[in-house]
Amino acid sequence: MLYFYIFIFLAASVEAQAITELEPAGPVYVIVEPDIRNEIKQEVAQRWKQQKDKYQEKIHNYQPKKLQRLPRAESDRSFTVDMTYTQDRDLTDRDGKVLYPKGYRFNPLDYMSLTIGLVVIDGSDPDQIKWFKESPYSSNHRIKVLLSGGYAQSLVSDLKRAVYYLDKEVADRFQLAAVPCVVVQREKHIQVTEFVIREEKR
């Protein structure tokens, strides 16, 4: 029985030694697991860039639904606008006392002044953009630029100033009909001047 145990012990020792001395049977590769934290960071960065690009594109291509489009002026023209307003209903205080009855007329320019001027252009027309840049209005920051077409975001960089959109309410109130035009106050009236852009001879 003793010889049997000795045989088992020697056999196990030889087998263990043989296992430790085995040579690789093929190519050996290092197992490298990706760092899950880096993967998450890369995924977040990629998604953030995609969202940012979409947001920038949306801003660049933004136009309000109520944008008031105006045709190009066909001739030089200047006219005045009477800003007198007729009250269309009784204006009362909280106790029901009539402050201004229906039919009451007043000119807001009797009580306030238009301290800025307006220049309205079609921002999709390169000739009108060029006209504005070469006009004295481009260096006057008391002038507010309104667009009847084009995209404000791209023109902000081009003109290096704030740019806004023209809506129907403003166009109707000042009786705007063509662009480019300039709107300024003259005493108790508003003066609108339309400019025709003559094409240069090439």
Side-chain angles (χ1 to χ4, degrees), residues 14-170:
V14 171
E15 184 179 359
Q17 184 177 2
I19 290 174
T20 58
E21 293 177 357
L22 286 177
E23 294 295 331
V28 177
Y29 300 96
V30 178
I31 299 176
V32 179
E33 290 289 338
D35 190 330
I36 188 64
R37 292 173 298 180
N38 290 336
E39 286 195 334
I40 292 174
K41 288 180 181 179
Q42 292 174 2
E43 179 70 17
V44 170
Q46 183 178 2
R47 289 182 179 273
W48 171 254
K49 184 179 182 304
Q50 291 173 349
Q51 291 297 325
K52 183 179 178 182
D53 291 344
K54 288 181 180 179
Y55 179 71
Q56 292 292 343
E57 182 180 0
K58 187 175 182 180
I59 290 179
H60 181 78
N61 297 326
Y62 170 77
Q63 280 184 336
K65 294 180 179 179
K66 295 183 179 180
L67 175 65
Q68 182 66 31
R69 300 182 183 277
L70 297 176
R72 191 165 170 170
E74 296 182 355
S75 62
D76 293 331
R77 182 172 76 122
S78 184
F79 58 92
T80 58
V81 180
D82 184 1
M83 298 298 290
T84 300
Y85 176 75
T86 302
Q87 189 70 26
D88 60 358
R89 59 183 179 276
D90 290 340
L91 183 63
T92 62
D93 62 15
R94 63 180 182 180
D95 297 324
K97 181 181 178 180
V98 176
L99 299 175
Y100 299 99
K102 179 180 179 180
Y104 176 79
R105 292 167 56 84
F106 69 97
N107 185 349
L109 296 182
D110 289 334
Y111 308 98
M112 57 180 291
S113 297
L114 183 64
T115 58
I116 63 171
L118 305 178
V119 171
V120 187
I121 62 174
D122 182 347
S124 65
D125 184 347
D127 290 336
Q128 293 188 46
I129 296 173
K130 182 174 182 290
W131 170 86
F132 176 76
K133 288 180 176 179
E134 295 175 352
S135 75
Y137 308 112
S138 64
S139 59
N140 184 350
H141 285 274
R142 291 178 65 82
I143 291 291
K144 186 175 181 179
V145 180
L146 301 180
L147 299 182
S148 69
Y151 299 99
Q153 183 66 21
S154 59
L155 286 176
V156 166
S157 301
D158 189 16
L159 302 181
K160 296 179 175 58
R161 62 187 299 152
V163 178
Y164 307 89
Y165 288 107
L166 174 69
D167 63 26
K168 188 177 187 305
E169 183 178 358
V170 173

